[in-house]
């Protein structure tokens, strides 16, 4: 069964800049959960900026969407300051020091998939709490004691869960039931919870309070760190206090590129933006609007195929591997790739490399975007990877640990849970960050500015690509988040499409060009977008109709 993509996304835009300034006239927040959206609004209403709101939303999502992201996970926070400076705060998890290249292999050298997915051995050192402290200290105004307040309240008082929560618990029931701490929190007196169940998380509230009071040391040191390490090691994981103590977020220059008249700012490695830009560059020589829709789809798929192929070959943690980024992102390189693109034929991926692949599955993650009335903006995609991460809660902390170790190539050349075949650059090494598909992105054509992103595993980057092409063609936020989607990731060599994305005639035409096609039974993604239209001075926020998110303006 394909896992449904679940995620959270917040868009916050504060327009109505102080007189004379050129910011937007309102604030808007769109996220995957109404309570997270409300937390962001609360921060703004207290005089916070977009970065404070981002902290409030991230923390609230950890409580109200515990299967998608959280203190036990990581992510990328893409920032734009009112002065136009842009940066990416890399809060991706790192492999613990005791990680080894072959830690998920059996004695015959074969990958044992469950080991990198279920339980504390699958968990890498979390980055999210360090980023919340970092954003608060260097960018925000309110401080963690104020911005974490809504999250603490939701954890202490509880909230009524919706259908997505109930589905996620059902999906990960076996993993969650293996450890008593998680079973006690997420089940309804031991039974599968139904929508309407009140989820109360007192231990998580204590951990959040510790973070609020002591900053990063409240998570990476002291009693919380002691507990995390003790529990992880007791459960068979390999963390040490030193791993936690050493974790630091990294500020990286985002990838900035142009696609025709559009400025695109997106996640640098280990995030997924390079794949987005490479695909856009391949497409840059075509006037897609002049082609019939099916040829357009064919061309976009061929661009995806080539960009995802390079992902597998070249991308990994830039602090560990030399990535030929300038070459991969150059228009000349794209022109070279384009020479093998034909309008009438697919180029089978087997001509790039051969392999066999299991069913790729989507899972869980979350995205949010914020802009304030000064023009400060945040697009953040956060993850604990699989729904409920590793399924492991360190007893006494309420923190669900990620299973982001599965985003490494457990054995280079062997696909992970999303069917992605990582190469040597993404092999496991102590202290290394695993490659990600997460692609929080800003789009700016001078007149309109968009903040966009989505969860969806390996399909994240192709979703952002389709949204970017839509935006470049003049589409607004609502159509970007709701459009029907298709995907190709080089391997497995096939186009996957959501119900309704391709007509029967289009499927036939693509097959005639040599494409293998797979119709998906269910939709995927949970995209949220905020658009500031400077011409009309309007801000719109849109939440993906596939999810349970909400968008709001303030004041
Ligand atoms: O970082 C990544 O690429 C994955 N851990 C993201 C997982 C994800 O989006 C699952 N979502 N539906």
């Amino acid at each position: 069964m394909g896992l449904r993509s679940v995620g959270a996304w917040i868009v916050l835009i504060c327009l109505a800049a102080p007189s004379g300034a050129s910011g937007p006239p309102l604030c808007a927040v769109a996220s995957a959960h109404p309570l997270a959206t409300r937390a962001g609004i609360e921060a703004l209403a207290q005089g916070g900026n977009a970065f404070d709101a981002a902290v409030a939303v991230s923390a609230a999502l950890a409580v109200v969407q515990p299967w998608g992201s959280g203190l036990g996970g990581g992510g990328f926070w893409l920032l734009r300051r009112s002065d136009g400076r842009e940066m990416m705060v890399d809060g991706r998890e790192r492999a613990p020091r005791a990680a080894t290249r072959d830690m998920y292999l059996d004695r015959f050298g074969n990958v044992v998939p469950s080991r990198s997915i279920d339980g504390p051995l699958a968990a890498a050192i979390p980055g999210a709490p360090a980023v919340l402290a970092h954003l608060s200290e260097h960018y925000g105004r309110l401080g963690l004691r104020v911005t974490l307040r809504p999250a603490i309240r939701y954890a202490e008082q509880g909230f009524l869960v919706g259908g997505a929560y109930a589905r996620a618990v059902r999906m990960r029931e076996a993993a969650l039931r293996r450890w008593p701490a998680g079973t006690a929190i997420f089940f309804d007196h031991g039974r599968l919870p139904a929508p309407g169940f009140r989820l109360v998380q007192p231990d998580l509230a204590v951990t959040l309070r510790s973070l609020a009071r002591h900053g990063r040391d409240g998570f990476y040191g002291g009693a919380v760190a002691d507990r995390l390490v003790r529990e992880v090691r007791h459960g068979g994981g390999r963390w040490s206090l030193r791993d936690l103590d050493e974790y630091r977020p990294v500020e990286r220059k985002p990838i900035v590129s142009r696609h025709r008249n559009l400025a695109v700012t997106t996640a640098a490695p280990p995030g997924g933006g390079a794949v987005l830009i490479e695909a856009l560059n391949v497409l840059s020589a075509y006037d897609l609007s002049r082609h019939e829709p099916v040829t357009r789809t064919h061309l976009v798929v061929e661009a995806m195929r080539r960009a995802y192929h390079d992902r597998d070959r070249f991308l990994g943690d830039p602090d560990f591997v030399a990535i030929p980024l300038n070459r991969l992102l150059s228009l000349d390189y794209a022109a070279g790739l384009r020479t093998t693109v034909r309008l009438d034929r697919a180029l089978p991926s087997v001509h790039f490399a051969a392999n066999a692949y299991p069913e790729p599955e989507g899972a869980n993650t979350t995205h949010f975007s914020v802009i304030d009335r000064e023009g400060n903006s945040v697009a953040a995609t956060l993850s604990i990877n699989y729904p409920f991460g590793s399924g492991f809660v360190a007893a006494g902390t309420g923190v669900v640990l990620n299973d982001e170790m599965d985003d490494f190539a457990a054995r280079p050349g062997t696909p992970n849970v999303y069917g992605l075949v990582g190469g040597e650059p993404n092999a496991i090494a102590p202290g290394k960050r695993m490659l990600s598909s997460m692609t929080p992105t800003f789009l700016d054509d001078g007149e309109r500015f968009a903040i966009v992103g989505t969860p969806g595993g390996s399909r994240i980057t192709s979703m952002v690509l389709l949204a970017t092409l839509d935006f470049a063609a003049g589409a607004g936020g609502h159509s970007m988040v709701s459009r029907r989607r298709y995907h190709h990731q080089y391997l497995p060599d096939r186009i996957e499409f959501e119900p309704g994305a391709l007509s029967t005639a289009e499927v036939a035409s693509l097959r005639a060009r040599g494409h293998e096609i797979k119709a998906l039974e269910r939709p995927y993604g949970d995209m949220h977008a905020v658009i500031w239209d400077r011409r009309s001075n309007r801000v719109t926020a849109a939440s993906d109709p596939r999810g349970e998110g909400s968008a709001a303006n303030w004041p």
Side-chain angles (χ1 to χ4, degrees):
M1 178 189 67
L3 299 181
R4 183 170 163 349
S5 169
V6 193
W9 215 91
I10 295 182
V11 174
L12 216 161
I13 206 162
C14 235
L15 302 188
S19 59
S22 55
L26 279 179
C27 291
V29 182
S31 89
H33 199 287
L35 290 175
T37 301
R38 196 192 294 171
I41 295 283
E42 209 173 300
L44 289 167
Q46 287 175 294
N49 59 17
F51 309 117
D52 291 307
V55 172
V57 170
S58 305
L61 287 169
V63 179
V64 299
Q65 203 191 24
W67 69 98
S69 69
L71 299 186
F76 304 109
W77 285 253
L78 187 65
L79 316 181
R80 180 189 271 199
R81 290 221 277 227
S82 52
D83 61 7
R85 275 179 50 209
E86 295 174 327
M87 69 256 355
M88 179 179 98
V89 182
D90 172 354
R92 186 68 163 164
E93 300 91 325
R94 296 176 71 191
R97 283 180 159 268
T100 56
R101 188 185 161 89
D102 58 359
M103 63 192 281
Y104 301 117
L105 306 186
D106 64 17
R107 62 199 172 93
F108 304 109
N110 297 318
V111 178
V112 186
S114 61
R115 278 195 203 157
S116 59
I117 294 173
D118 300 331
L121 189 64
I125 305 305
V131 173
L132 300 194
H134 181 85
L135 289 180
S136 203
E137 187 179 332
H138 298 284
Y139 296 94
R141 293 184 189 131
L142 297 178
L144 289 172
R145 284 173 195 262
V146 176
T147 48
L148 298 194
R149 232 179 249 152
I152 293 169
R153 198 168 65 231
Y154 301 151
E156 273 174 352
Q157 298 174 6
F159 67 98
L160 305 184
V161 305
Y165 174 85
R167 279 194 298 277
V169 175
R170 197 177 325 122
M171 191 184 297
R172 294 291 274 147
E173 180 176 5
L176 285 168
R177 283 203 192 275
R178 274 172 58 189
W179 293 281
T183 315
I185 298 168
F186 297 118
F187 289 78
D188 182 358
H189 298 91
R191 290 187 304 272
L192 277 175
F197 161 64
R198 177 173 289 275
L199 176 61
V200 187
Q201 301 171 82
D203 288 344
L204 183 57
V206 171
T207 302
L208 283 162
R209 276 191 194 284
S210 172
L211 183 63
R213 205 169 290 147
H214 307 293
R216 72 171 297 286
D217 292 346
F219 185 90
Y220 296 87
V224 173
D226 286 346
R227 259 188 191 280
L228 286 169
V229 170
R230 195 174 64 228
E231 292 296 319
V232 163
R233 297 186 77 90
H234 185 67
R238 299 188 183 176
W239 292 15
S240 66
L241 284 172
R242 186 170 169 196
D243 286 320
L244 287 171
D245 185 50
E246 284 178 352
Y247 187 90
R248 295 284 180 286
V250 181
E251 288 213 354
R252 300 189 193 277
K253 263 172 59 183
I255 294 176
V256 181
S257 182
R258 285 202 83 79
H259 177 66
R260 295 166 170 250
N261 69 341
L262 192 63
V264 182
T265 303
T266 187
V275 177
L276 170 69
I277 301 303
E278 201 179 313
L280 285 170
N281 286 348
V282 170
L283 292 170
S284 63
Y286 304 104
D287 184 352
L288 292 177
S289 65
R290 295 175 66 110
H291 290 287
E292 52 169 341
V294 67
T295 301
R296 209 181 299 152
T297 302
H298 166 75
L299 288 171
V300 173
V301 162
E302 290 301 306
M304 289 175 180
R305 181 201 305 278
R306 283 156 181 77
Y308 274 88
H309 177 234
D310 279 344
R311 174 196 204 275
D312 292 353
R313 287 200 300 168
F314 295 115
L315 301 188
D317 181 345
D319 295 339
F320 278 70
V321 292
I323 302 174
L325 208 54
N326 288 340
R327 172 154 65 93
L328 294 178
L329 302 182
S330 80
L331 287 169
D332 289 342
Y333 181 73
L337 295 177
R338 219 164 26 238
T339 57
T340 59
V341 176
R342 286 172 51 174
L343 284 179
D344 61 334
R345 284 306 289 172
L347 179 63
S349 294
V350 71
H351 292 318
F352 296 68
N355 231 322
Y357 298 90
E359 191 80 349
E361 297 180 282
N364 244 52
T365 283
T366 202
H367 178 96
F368 70 84
S369 305
V370 179
I371 195 172
D372 65 27
R373 69 180 70 189
E374 293 156 44
N376 299 307
S377 312
V378 181
T381 311
L382 320 180
S383 182
I384 49 173
N385 200 27
Y386 226 51
F388 284 101
S390 63
F392 182 85
V393 175
T397 67
V399 177
V400 183
L401 300 187
N402 68 83
D403 54 359
E404 222 77 63
M405 289 296 284
D406 190 65
D407 279 342
F408 277 119
R411 191 179 67 179
T414 303
N416 75 353
V417 75
Y418 304 110
L420 288 168
V421 190
E424 198 56 44
N426 193 30
I428 302 173
K432 190 173 174 184
R433 287 164 151 86
M434 59 295 294
L435 185 58
S436 173
S437 300
M438 294 189 284
T439 313
T441 296
F442 298 142
L443 306 170
D444 200 334
D445 66 7
E447 295 187 328
R448 294 189 309 149
F449 174 57
I451 307 169
V452 67
T454 181
S458 56
R459 299 187 189 120
I460 290 174
T461 323
S462 68
M463 284 187 258
V464 176
L465 172 64
L466 295 177
T468 302
L469 294 171
D470 287 352
F471 182 78
H478 182 69
S479 53
M480 286 162 73
V481 304
S482 52
R483 64 114 66 225
R484 305 269 179 221
R485 299 173 177 137
Y486 56 88
H487 172 73
H488 194 294
Q489 61 181 47
Y490 154 62
L491 289 171
D493 186 355
R494 63 174 181 230
I495 301 173
E496 299 169 345
F497 70 100
E498 286 186 317
L502 299 175
S503 68
T504 312
E506 284 170 330
V507 168
S509 169
L510 288 165
R511 286 212 167 106
R513 290 173 210 223
H515 289 286
E516 192 185 312
I517 315 263
K518 181 178 181 194
L520 300 173
E521 282 169 21
R522 288 192 279 173
Y524 60 87
D526 192 13
M527 180 176 283
H528 305 257
V530 162
I531 313 251
W532 173 23
D533 188 333
R534 299 186 184 95
R535 292 167 307 190
S536 59
N537 203 22
R538 285 187 57 211
V539 175
T540 49
S543 275
D544 199 319
R546 296 162 183 82
E548 297 181 347
S550 73
N553 286 87
W554 185 85

